[in-house]
Amino acid sequence: MRITCHKEMLNEKLQLLLKTVTTRSTMPVLSGIRLDAKATGKVEAASTNMELSLRVVFDASVKEEGAIVLPGRLFADVTRSLPPGEVSVISEAEEPQVTVASGKASFKMNSLPASDFPRLPELPEDEAFELEAGPLTETIDIVARAASRDETRPVLTGILVKFGKSSIKMVATDSYRLSVKETKVKSSLAEKKEAIVPRQSLEELSRIIAASSEKNVRIGMADGQIVYGVGATKVASRLIEGQFPNYQQLLPEEFKHEIALDREEILEVVSRIGIMAQKNAPLKMRFTAGELTVSAQTPQVGEATESLPVAFEGEEIEVGFNPEFLREGLESVPQEQIFLRIISPLRPGLLKGKEDDFFYLVMPVRLTA
């Protein structure tokens, strides 16, 4: 294989592919990046950790076709260090070493057989559909933060995605909070589809869309995999098997209070007072007639209190929340006014905007006297 391409472009593609290069696998080839040069002047580069895979295509001067696997992180580090200009990647037949050169700098590194690299899922074009990229990333960015990071409960590390003909709905929970967002979207989908998709793959998709100028995303699901196409870039991920929690059962049928809050103001107060909620200390919200007092206290550290006017009537009530979960919920509401619905100190609180397309349920923290 003999190719020449621009250093900056190659470096950009390799940095993206590093997201799925692993150094912990018993399969050495998974620590590599596969290059496949075509006579058409296109090079496909790919990486995978067997859970998530990425493929990109870029233009190059292809003097000789071929496929090789280079150690991913080393290849990326070498490329980044090269002087500006053209980079040559040369692999001789039957030779394990590959030359990477630019200007007067030249590196030789050992390669692995391309035949050892796993076969990656293809986008099933006959069943694929298109979605608007903007509304898709908006929904991912709002909901994904509520998905669990605990790998012992795989279903909760995923996001329930419901693809509709004119909308997309995502649901995520880590059992301490629940985030649900439905967004209108233009779609070519013929029939509704539903799947539990790993959070990591959706977040990676969002980053790729943000860095591209593509207006639509192609999506296909088959054989327990989901594949996204963003221009010439493809992201593939396994789907999570199992039963997602019935989130409708988690929602209280009615709330005792609904308090309107200015998003910017309450975010500032929660972020400021939350500094003193350390070592798992709760953030307390005490509602009295016309006033909300936010406070936090951590023994051997200190305490903080701040009050602000709110439209609250009725008997005084004090509720405690995890400060990080509360702050992330407030950040997720896409409108200037936030509505906090509460029942009692031991029941979950619900955050939403004026519209009914998003809500965020957060469990309370039991307060001690």
Side-chain angles (χ1 to χ4, degrees):
M1 182 180 80
R2 290 173 177 264
I3 66 170
T4 302
C5 59
H6 292 292
K7 178 242 176 147
E8 293 302 326
M9 184 270 300
L10 178 60
N11 180 57
E12 176 188 325
K13 302 301 184 184
L14 294 180
Q15 293 304 315
L16 172 62
L17 292 171
L18 283 180
K19 301 285 181 60
T20 53
V21 168
T22 178
T23 57
R24 301 178 182 179
S25 174
T26 56
M27 297 173 60
V29 75
L30 296 185
S31 66
I33 291 176
R34 186 181 193 270
L35 295 181
D36 190 356
K38 309 288 187 181
T40 56
K42 301 289 185 181
V43 177
E44 181 181 271
S47 62
T48 182
N49 57 18
M50 301 306 287
E51 297 289 327
L52 181 67
S53 64
L54 294 171
R55 277 180 288 180
V56 298
V57 176
F58 58 89
D59 295 322
S61 174
V62 179
K63 298 176 182 177
E64 185 178 321
E65 294 180 272
I68 56 172
V69 177
L70 291 173
R73 298 196 180 278
L74 179 60
F75 185 26
D77 288 344
V78 166
T79 300
R80 187 173 59 249
S81 73
L82 292 173
E86 297 289 308
V87 176
S88 297
V89 181
I90 302 171
S91 171
E92 302 289 352
E94 307 302 326
E95 289 290 332
Q97 285 195 324
V98 174
T99 301
V100 179
S102 178
K104 295 183 179 181
S106 179
F107 293 78
K108 289 184 180 294
M109 61 185 76
N110 294 333
S111 64
L112 293 168
S115 58
D116 291 349
F117 197 80
R119 182 178 178 181
L120 303 183
E122 296 291 341
L123 184 64
E125 292 293 346
D126 55 333
E127 298 182 9
F129 57 95
E130 285 195 353
L131 285 179
E132 281 182 286
L136 178 61
T137 56
E138 173 194 339
T139 311
I140 294 170
D141 295 344
I142 287 176
V143 173
R145 64 179 69 190
S148 176
R149 270 63 171 170
D150 184 0
E151 297 294 337
T152 63
R153 302 182 68 185
V155 168
L156 298 189
T157 65
I159 297 173
L160 177 64
V161 184
K162 297 185 177 185
F163 298 101
K165 296 180 181 180
S166 59
S167 68
I168 182 170
K169 190 172 190 176
M170 294 190 185
V171 185
T173 180
D174 57 8
S175 75
Y176 299 103
R177 54 196 171 150
L178 168 73
S179 184
V180 180
K181 176 76 168 75
E182 184 169 10
T183 309
K184 292 181 180 180
V185 61
K186 292 180 182 179
S187 168
S188 65
L189 184 65
E191 296 181 358
K192 294 181 179 180
K193 294 181 181 291
E194 183 176 314
I196 304 175
V197 184
R199 169 190 53 82
Q200 183 187 6
S201 76
L202 288 171
E203 289 181 330
E204 192 57 48
L205 173 63
S206 180
R207 281 191 285 267
I208 290 171
I209 292 173
S212 77
S213 58
E214 296 294 327
K215 302 298 183 183
N216 294 297
V217 178
R218 288 192 63 75
I219 300 175
M221 291 183 282
D223 302 322
Q225 297 277 339
I226 185 167
V227 183
Y228 319 100
V230 184
T233 301
K234 290 185 174 62
V235 185
S237 169
R238 65 175 180 84
L239 295 174
I240 298 176
E241 297 181 354
Q243 184 68 40
F244 198 84
N246 185 347
Y247 66 92
Q248 296 286 359
Q249 292 183 344
L250 302 176
L251 299 175
E253 293 184 0
E254 58 181 23
F255 292 86
K256 190 174 181 180
H257 300 284
E258 180 177 86
I259 306 100
L261 302 167
D262 179 270
R263 181 179 184 273
E264 184 175 346
E265 182 180 34
I266 189 63
L267 257 175
E268 287 183 359
V269 173
V270 166
S271 298
R272 188 159 46 238
I273 302 304
I275 295 172
M276 281 300 180
Q278 301 180 21
K279 301 178 181 179
N280 297 319
L283 190 79
K284 300 177 184 178
M285 303 181 77
R286 182 164 57 88
F287 293 92
T288 56
E291 186 176 66
L292 164 61
T293 301
V294 181
S295 64
Q297 181 179 27
T298 303
Q300 287 79 52
V301 176
E303 60 184 72
T305 302
E306 186 168 352
S307 298
L308 61 155
V310 296
F312 179 85
E313 297 178 357
E315 187 177 346
E316 176 182 320
I317 184 172
E318 186 173 50
V319 186
F321 294 109
N322 176 299
E324 180 183 355
F325 292 169
L326 179 62
R327 177 180 54 77
E328 290 188 348
L330 294 170
E331 289 175 343
S332 298
V333 178
Q335 285 138 15
E336 294 181 2
Q337 191 174 49
I338 293 176
F339 295 92
L340 171 62
R341 294 177 174 177
I342 54 177
I343 303 172
S344 72
L346 301 180
R347 300 292 300 277
L350 185 141
L351 295 168
K352 65 183 294 294
K354 185 177 181 180
E355 307 297 329
D356 292 327
D357 58 355
F358 170 76
F359 64 81
Y360 182 97
L361 195 74
V362 57
M363 298 299 292
V365 176
R366 184 183 292 271
L367 300 177
T368 56

